[in-house]
Amino acid sequence: MIYLRIGEIVDERGWNIQRFADETHLSYPTAYGLYKGRINRIDLKTLDSICEALGIEPGEVFVR
């Protein structure tokens, strides 16, 4: 199973969900779903936004 590490990475940065949403220009519900790992599909534009805001590469987001 593949899952997203976004919540872990956001926590490592010391950010809350609202800051994550603001920095990535995502809606709060989308940011919350990504943070909690409840979203099972991710758009490439969204992934790019997340990587840019968090200063990471796409491979760091996923764990198998």
Side-chain angles (χ1 to χ4, degrees):
M1 177 129 210
I2 296 172
Y3 69 94
L4 299 173
R5 289 189 56 240
I6 294 172
E8 295 172 35
I9 298 168
V10 169
D11 287 344
E12 287 171 6
R13 301 284 186 287
W15 293 5
N16 61 23
I17 298 170
Q18 185 62 58
R19 179 164 179 198
F20 173 60
D22 292 343
E23 296 285 338
T24 56
H25 307 289
L26 298 173
S27 68
Y28 186 88
T30 299
Y32 181 84
L34 288 165
Y35 178 86
K36 293 291 187 176
R38 294 183 179 157
I39 292 180
N40 57 14
R41 294 179 188 219
I42 188 166
D43 180 271
L44 291 177
K45 183 179 176 184
T46 302
L47 179 60
D48 185 53
S49 227
I50 292 165
C51 291
E52 180 72 27
L54 294 173
I56 59 174
E57 293 297 318
E60 297 175 68
V61 172
F62 302 101
V63 174
R64 182 167 187 224

